[in-house]
Each structure stands twice: as structure tokens, then as C-alpha cells.
């Protein structure tokens, strides 16, 4: 009886030893909070793109800006603005002296006249007497142009101006403007202009 009990006890111990060897050790305890926080990355600075620099003011202290235009039944009307981008008042009087160049910068043959007589039967805004106009820095004046896009002779090439050269007043440096919309004269060879006139508001910076 004693031997059997001992055998049972020994068997249990051995079995326990075998089972104990197969059980993996318990995992280490997770470390508790240390009191040290991970550094938070600083926000990335957002920089605005650099603003486009305003074009330099030409030598004479004024620049040209292409204005609005209109076209109906071959009659063209457009206006050009002159902005005082300098630091002193600028005085205009009478009519500008203008010259047209084509896409290759060659002079366009055109007779420039004062007003729209012989070009349009109705008033076009190019009429009126010349007046003295004084521009403070930032102010603008303008002149109008009128012409017809008409081909009357198929043997004469149509003329088209893409660059406008303007002498604002006698003795002043010439100012140049590359046009977005051409002066498409056909072969009429005529261009009417108005005298200088003050604009009704301060010109935008261009």
C-alpha cells in the first residue's frame, strides 16, 4: 500500500516537472510612465510666395496701359491710358504723337488724323478740343483710337499693328506698348485719335 502511494506521488511530481518545463516564462512587466514626454515637432512655417514685382517706371516717368476696345461691323474703337508712375506731376496738352509697328517691329504705313471724320459717320469719342491735363503721381490720362478693318483693294496687303509707340508730349521720351489686340487696319491706311483727356479715377498699378 505504501509503495503504491509513493509511486503515485512520484508520478505527480515527475508529471509536474515535465509540465513545468513546457510552460514559457511569464513576460516582464511593462515599464510604467517615466515622466519624460516625447518632444512634439515644431509646426512647419508656411511662407507665402513672393509678390510679383511691379514693372519699373520708364525713363520718362510714365507708362502705357491698353484699355478697353469695341468692334462692330468692321469699325474699331479702342483707348490707351498713360499712367504717371513717377514722383512729380506730369503735364499733357494736345494730341499724342503715335507710330504703329507690325509683328516684326517694322513700321506700319498709316495716316494718323485728329478725330474720326472720314472713318465713322457717328461720334466715336475721339472728338473734342485739346485740353491741358496735369497728372499727379499715380493718376492717368488717355486717348482714344478709331479705325476700320476694311479691305478695299485685294492687291494691297492688309496692315496690322501689334506695337504702339507714343510720344506723350514734345521732347518727351517715346513710350512703347505691346498690344494684346492688334490695330487691324485692313488696307484703309487711316487711324483717328483723340486728344489727351483725364481719366475719371486713379489708375491701377500695372
Amino acid at each position: 500500500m505504501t509503495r503504491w502511494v509513493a509511486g503515485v506521488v512520484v508520478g505527480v511530481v515527475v508529471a509536474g516537472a515535465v509540465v513545468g518545463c513546457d510552460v514559457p516564462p511569464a513576460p516582464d512587466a511593462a515599464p510604467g510612465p517615466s515622466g519624460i514626454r516625447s518632444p512634439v515637432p515644431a509646426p512647419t512655417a508656411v511662407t507665402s510666395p513672393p509678390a510679383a514685382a511691379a514693372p519699373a517706371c520708364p525713363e520718362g516717368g510714365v507708362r502705357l496701359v491698353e484699355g478697353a476696345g469695341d468692334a462692330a461691323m468692321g469699325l474699331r474703337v479702342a483707348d490707351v491710358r498713360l499712367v504717371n508712375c513717377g514722383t512729380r506731376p506730369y503735364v499733357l496738352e494736345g494730341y499724342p504723337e503715335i507710330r504703329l509697328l507690325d509683328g516684326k517691329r517694322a513700321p506700319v504705313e498709316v495716316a494718323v488724323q485728329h478725330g474720326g471724320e472720314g472713318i465713322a459717320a457717328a461720334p466715336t469719342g475721339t472728338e473734342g478740343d485739346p485740353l491741358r491735363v496735369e497728372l499727379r503721381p499715380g493718376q492717368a490720362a488717355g486717348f482714344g483710337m478709331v479705325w476700320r478693318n476694311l479691305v478695299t483693294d485685294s492687291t494691297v496687303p492688309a496692315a496690322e499693328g501689334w506695337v504702339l509707340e507714343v510720344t506723350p508730349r514734345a521732347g518727351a521720351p517715346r513710350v512703347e506698348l505691346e498690344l494684346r489686340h492688334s490695330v487691324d487696319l485692313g488696307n484703309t491706311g487711316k487711324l483717328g485719335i483723340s486728344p489727351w483727356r483725364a481719366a475719371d479715377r486713379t489708375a491701377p498699378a500695372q
Side-chain angles (χ1 to χ4, degrees), residues 66-165:
E66 186 173 359
D70 190 19
M73 298 298 289
L75 181 66
R76 308 286 201 250
V77 177
D79 68 273
V80 176
R81 303 183 81 192
L82 179 137
V83 182
N84 181 358
C85 55
T87 58
R88 295 182 295 178
Y90 195 92
V91 177
L92 297 166
E93 194 166 6
Y95 293 83
E97 178 186 327
I98 72 171
R99 187 169 73 143
L100 281 175
L101 308 179
D102 65 16
K104 297 180 179 179
R105 307 188 73 82
V108 174
E109 291 188 17
V110 57
V112 179
Q113 65 180 51
H114 296 167
E117 186 176 355
I119 298 175
T124 60
T126 56
E127 301 77 22
D129 297 326
L131 300 173
R132 184 179 186 273
V133 180
E134 181 172 342
L135 305 177
R136 296 192 300 273
Q139 290 186 325
F143 68 92
M145 301 188 297
V146 58
W147 70 94
R148 281 196 179 277
N149 176 23
L150 186 62
V151 176
T152 57
D153 186 348
S154 60
T155 64
V156 178
E160 196 169 22
W162 283 99
V163 179
L164 184 66
E165 291 186 340

Side-chain angles (χ1 to χ4, degrees), residues 10 31-32 35 39 41 48 64 107 136 199:
V10 171
S48 301
L64 296 175
R136 296 192 300 273

